[in-house]
Coordinates of all heavy atoms in Angstrom, one line a residue:
D29 N -6.3 -86.2 203.4 CA -7.1 -85.0 203.0 C -7.2 -84.0 204.1 O -8.0 -84.2 205.0 CB -8.5 -85.5 202.5 CG -9.3 -84.4 201.9 OD1 -9.1 -83.2 202.1 OD2 -10.3 -84.7 201.2
N30 N -6.3 -83.0 204.0 CA -6.2 -82.1 205.1 C -7.5 -81.3 205.3 O -7.8 -80.8 206.4 CB -5.0 -81.2 204.9 CG -3.7 -81.9 205.1 OD1 -3.6 -82.9 205.8 ND2 -2.7 -81.4 204.5
A31 N -8.2 -81.1 204.2 CA -9.5 -80.3 204.3 C -10.5 -81.1 205.1 O -11.4 -80.5 205.7 CB -10.0 -80.0 202.9
K32 N -10.4 -82.4 205.1 CA -11.4 -83.3 205.8 C -10.8 -83.8 207.1 O -11.5 -84.6 207.7 CB -11.8 -84.4 204.9 CG -12.6 -84.0 203.6 CD -13.1 -85.2 202.8 CE -13.9 -84.8 201.6 NZ -14.4 -85.9 200.8
N33 N -9.6 -83.4 207.4 CA -9.0 -84.0 208.6 C -9.0 -85.5 208.7 O -9.3 -86.1 209.7 CB -9.6 -83.4 209.9 CG -9.3 -81.9 210.1 OD1 -8.6 -81.3 209.4 ND2 -9.9 -81.4 211.2
T34 N -8.7 -86.1 207.6 CA -8.8 -87.5 207.4 C -7.6 -88.1 206.7 O -7.1 -87.6 205.7 CB -10.1 -87.9 206.7 OG1 -11.2 -87.4 207.4 CG2 -10.2 -89.5 206.7
A35 N -7.1 -89.2 207.3 CA -6.1 -90.0 206.6 C -6.7 -91.4 206.1 O -7.6 -91.8 206.7 CB -4.9 -90.3 207.5
Y36 N -6.1 -91.9 205.1 CA -6.6 -93.2 204.5 C -5.5 -94.2 204.3 O -4.3 -93.8 204.2 CB -7.3 -92.9 203.1 CG -8.3 -91.8 203.2 CD1 -8.0 -90.5 202.9 CD2 -9.6 -92.1 203.5 CE1 -9.0 -89.5 202.9 CE2 -10.6 -91.2 203.5 CZ -10.3 -89.9 203.2 OH -11.3 -88.9 203.2
L37 N -5.9 -95.4 204.3 CA -5.0 -96.5 203.9 C -5.8 -97.4 202.9 O -6.7 -98.1 203.3 CB -4.5 -97.3 205.1 CG -3.4 -98.4 204.7 CD1 -2.1 -97.7 204.3 CD2 -3.2 -99.3 205.9
Q38 N -5.4 -97.3 201.6 CA -6.0 -98.2 200.6 C -5.2 -99.4 200.6 O -4.0 -99.4 200.3 CB -6.0 -97.5 199.3 CG -6.5 -98.3 198.1 CD -8.0 -98.6 198.3 OE1 -8.8 -97.8 198.6 NE2 -8.4 -99.9 198.0
M39 N -5.8 -100.6 200.8 CA -5.1 -101.8 200.8 C -5.7 -102.7 199.7 O -6.8 -103.1 199.7 CB -5.3 -102.5 202.2 CG -4.9 -101.6 203.3 SD -5.0 -102.5 204.9 CE -6.8 -102.7 205.1
N40 N -4.8 -103.1 198.8 CA -5.1 -103.9 197.6 C -4.4 -105.2 197.7 O -3.4 -105.3 198.4 CB -4.8 -103.2 196.3 CG -5.6 -102.0 196.1 OD1 -6.8 -101.8 196.6 ND2 -5.0 -101.0 195.4
S41 N -4.8 -106.2 197.0 CA -4.1 -107.5 196.9 C -3.8 -108.1 198.3 O -2.7 -108.5 198.6 CB -2.8 -107.4 196.1 OG -3.0 -106.9 194.8
L42 N -4.8 -108.0 199.2 CA -4.6 -108.4 200.6 C -4.3 -109.9 200.7 O -4.8 -110.7 199.9 CB -5.9 -108.1 201.4 CG -6.0 -106.6 201.7 CD1 -7.4 -106.2 202.1 CD2 -5.1 -106.2 202.9
K43 N -3.4 -110.2 201.7 CA -3.0 -111.5 202.0 C -3.4 -111.9 203.4 O -3.6 -111.0 204.2 CB -1.4 -111.6 201.8 CG -0.9 -111.1 200.5 CD 0.6 -111.1 200.5 CE 1.2 -110.6 199.2 NZ 2.7 -110.6 199.2
P44 N -3.5 -113.2 203.7 CA -3.8 -113.6 205.0 C -2.9 -113.0 206.1 O -3.3 -112.7 207.2 CB -3.7 -115.1 205.0 CG -4.0 -115.5 203.5 CD -3.4 -114.3 202.7
E45 N -1.6 -112.8 205.7 CA -0.6 -112.3 206.7 C -0.9 -110.8 206.9 O -0.2 -110.2 207.8 CB 0.8 -112.5 206.2 CG 1.1 -112.1 204.8 CD 1.0 -113.2 203.8 OE1 0.0 -114.0 203.9 OE2 1.9 -113.3 202.9
D46 N -1.8 -110.2 206.2 CA -2.1 -108.8 206.5 C -3.2 -108.7 207.7 O -3.5 -107.6 208.1 CB -2.7 -108.1 205.3 CG -1.7 -107.9 204.2 OD1 -0.5 -107.6 204.5 OD2 -2.1 -108.2 203.0
T47 N -3.7 -109.8 208.1 CA -4.7 -109.9 209.2 C -4.1 -109.3 210.5 O -3.0 -109.7 210.9 CB -5.1 -111.3 209.4 OG1 -5.8 -111.8 208.3 CG2 -6.0 -111.4 210.7
A48 N -4.8 -108.3 211.0 CA -4.3 -107.6 212.2 C -5.3 -106.5 212.6 O -6.2 -106.2 211.9 CB -2.9 -106.9 211.9
V49 N -5.1 -106.0 213.8 CA -5.7 -104.7 214.2 C -4.9 -103.6 213.6 O -3.7 -103.5 213.9 CB -5.9 -104.6 215.7 CG1 -6.6 -103.3 216.0 CG2 -6.8 -105.8 216.2
Y50 N -5.5 -102.7 212.9 CA -4.8 -101.6 212.3 C -5.1 -100.3 213.1 O -6.3 -100.0 213.4 CB -5.3 -101.4 210.9 CG -4.6 -102.4 209.9 CD1 -5.0 -103.7 210.0 CD2 -3.6 -102.0 209.0 CE1 -4.4 -104.7 209.2 CE2 -3.0 -102.9 208.2 CZ -3.4 -104.3 208.3 OH -2.8 -105.2 207.4
Y51 N -4.1 -99.6 213.5 CA -4.2 -98.4 214.3 C -3.7 -97.2 213.5 O -2.7 -97.2 212.8 CB -3.3 -98.5 215.5 CG -3.7 -99.6 216.5 CD1 -3.2 -100.9 216.4 CD2 -4.6 -99.4 217.5 CE1 -3.6 -101.9 217.2 CE2 -5.0 -100.4 218.4 CZ -4.5 -101.7 218.2 OH -4.8 -102.7 219.1
C52 N -4.4 -96.1 213.7 CA -4.0 -94.8 213.2 C -3.2 -94.1 214.2 O -3.5 -94.1 215.4 CB -5.3 -94.0 212.8 SG -5.0 -92.4 212.1
N53 N -2.2 -93.3 213.7 CA -1.3 -92.6 214.6 C -1.1 -91.2 214.1 O -0.9 -91.0 212.9 CB 0.0 -93.3 214.8 CG 1.0 -92.5 215.5 OD1 1.8 -91.8 214.9 ND2 1.0 -92.6 216.8

């Protein structure tokens, strides 16, 4: 959302292998 200067990551159907530290770039 460029008006809000924000990026998003919607994560569905999460699995144990998705476990991690998530970083924005």
Side-chain angles (χ1 to χ4, degrees):
D29 185 337
N30 291 333
K32 295 183 177 180
N33 288 357
T34 302
Y36 305 96
L37 185 68
Q38 177 67 43
M39 306 185 293
N40 299 328
S41 302
L42 282 161
K43 304 175 181 180
E45 52 264 43
D46 294 318
T47 295
V49 178
Y50 283 71
Y51 297 90
C52 179
N53 172 267

